[in-house]
Amino acid sequence: MTVPAAPVRQAAAVAENLTKTYGSGETTVYALREVSATFDRGQFTAIMGPSGSGKSTLMHCLAGLDTASSGRVLIGDTDLSGLKDAAMTKLRRDRIGFVFQSFNLVPTLTAKENITLPLDIAGAAVDKEWFDTVTQRLGLTDRLGHRPSELSGGQVQRVACARALVGRPEIIFGDEPTGNLDSKSSAEVLSILRGAVDDFGQTVVIVTHDPRAASYADRVVFLADGQVVSDQSGLSADDIYEYMKHLDGGAGPTSPHTAPTQGR
Ligand code: ADP
Ligand code: MG
């Protein structure tokens, strides 16, 4: 009898025993304590946790923008710790997209020029068909000739998304990508990220404090005090809200479904 093989999910990114400290001796701050997490290809993950729990540090280490004190990060099967500066820069440019909360567009360039800026700097070709797909989905088609001062906050953040998507990165990292947006613009940006996963097989990892934003994700990884305290799939915004309330209350690791706020 042949046992069918379990579907193999490939990792887009792996954090392996990441520890990150600041300072030394009695004043040592642990931003991350032996954090391990795997981010599968074609999956949308939200990282949540109280302020200071290590979310940004984890994301920056994963994206090769910061280095852990110990442990390692893999993007696909590339170990970031083995990379020299030039190779790291190339990997970030070719394989990773970033969407951050405060995104500074170059004021003198048009939206279109801002979107293709990283590719232009790298001397890389812009895939016109893909550029059109991305900007159409983001509703930016009639805004491409406008300068940032002529765009709304939501449009600026959509330009930021377009910049992250236009190079077709394997993985897109966002640190509070909807942090400055009203709920309508926020929903638009999240739908775009959801579409990057569902329609184009990309991998998305965002840090957010907003349960509604996190509910767009397939999975939520909760951090507290530099550790992963829960890793759950299929949570509703309400589940997430309740669990965050529980974490902010300073209780220990419990899964969302068994959190005291859920009826115990
Ligand atoms: P979060 O994004 O969850 O709010 P961070 O990853 O920014 O948390 O920070 C985690 C911990 O590391 C916090 O206690 C923070 O004060 C500390 N930290 C972050 N960056 C530095 C730094 N450059 N120097 C000292 N401590 C830092
Ligand atoms: Mg942060």
Side-chain angles (χ1 to χ4, degrees):
M1 194 177 82
T2 329
V3 180
V8 179
R9 299 220 61 165
Q10 273 185 310
V14 181
E16 232 176 61
N17 284 318
L18 289 187
T19 294
K20 173 79 178 179
T21 57
Y22 292 103
S24 59
E26 283 184 12
T27 57
T28 304
V29 172
Y30 279 82
L32 298 175
R33 302 168 190 264
E34 302 207 328
V35 168
S36 294
T38 297
F39 302 90
D40 288 340
R41 261 185 223 295
Q43 192 180 47
F44 187 159
T45 305
I47 298 172
M48 299 194 81
S51 182
S53 57
K55 304 182 295 295
S56 295
T57 305
L58 174 59
M59 168 145 297
H60 289 155
C61 288
L62 284 167
L65 299 169
D66 194 358
T67 321
S69 312
S70 62
R72 60 177 197 158
V73 169
L74 305 176
I75 294 293
D77 48 19
T78 309
D79 183 347
L80 297 194
S81 51
L83 297 184
K84 300 226 165 44
D85 285 355
M88 179 74 97
T89 304
K90 181 168 165 34
L91 178 138
R92 276 200 304 263
R93 192 181 66 214
D94 294 347
R95 299 173 61 183
I96 295 177
F98 305 98
V99 191
F100 293 118
Q101 179 178 353
S102 50
F103 186 85
N104 296 317
L105 301 183
V106 182
T108 52
L109 297 182
T110 62
K112 179 171 198 283
E113 290 161 342
N114 269 291
I115 292 167
T116 58
L117 188 64
L119 293 175
D120 294 340
I121 289 171
V126 178
D127 178 333
K128 182 164 180 337
E129 204 176 314
W130 177 244
F131 176 90
D132 290 346
T133 303
V134 166
T135 50
Q136 243 161 44
R137 282 189 162 232
L138 285 160
L140 291 169
T141 316
D142 62 349
R143 288 286 174 275
L144 293 173
H146 289 61
R147 292 182 208 289
S149 60
E150 301 160 339
L151 302 174
S152 70
Q155 287 166 346
V156 165
Q157 196 66 351
R158 282 185 271 146
V159 171
C161 278
R163 183 188 280 186
L165 292 167
V166 77
R168 296 199 95 149
E170 295 164 30
I171 183 159
I172 297 155
F173 291 107
D175 195 351
E176 298 282 4
T178 60
N180 284 332
L181 301 180
D182 59 39
S183 58
K184 182 168 172 283
S185 301
S186 177
E188 285 167 4
V189 166
L190 290 160
S191 303
I192 297 306
L193 295 174
R194 188 68 251 175
V197 170
D198 293 341
D199 304 336
F200 301 110
Q202 288 167 296
T203 305
V204 172
V205 183
I206 64 167
V207 165
T208 181
H209 67 273
D210 176 3
R212 211 151 16 128
S215 70
Y216 281 75
D218 300 305
R219 163 195 183 208
V220 187
V221 173
F222 294 91
L223 294 184
D225 197 19
Q227 288 178 297
V228 175
V229 292
S230 182
D231 184 338
Q232 299 279 319
S233 296
L235 296 181
S236 70
D238 284 346
D239 291 337
I240 296 165
Y241 175 78
E242 291 299 335
Y243 191 62
M244 281 302 293
K245 222 164 64 179
H246 163 71
L247 279 185
D248 281 329
T254 322
S255 88
H257 296 300
T258 57
T261 45
Q262 295 265 306
R264 269 199 303 154

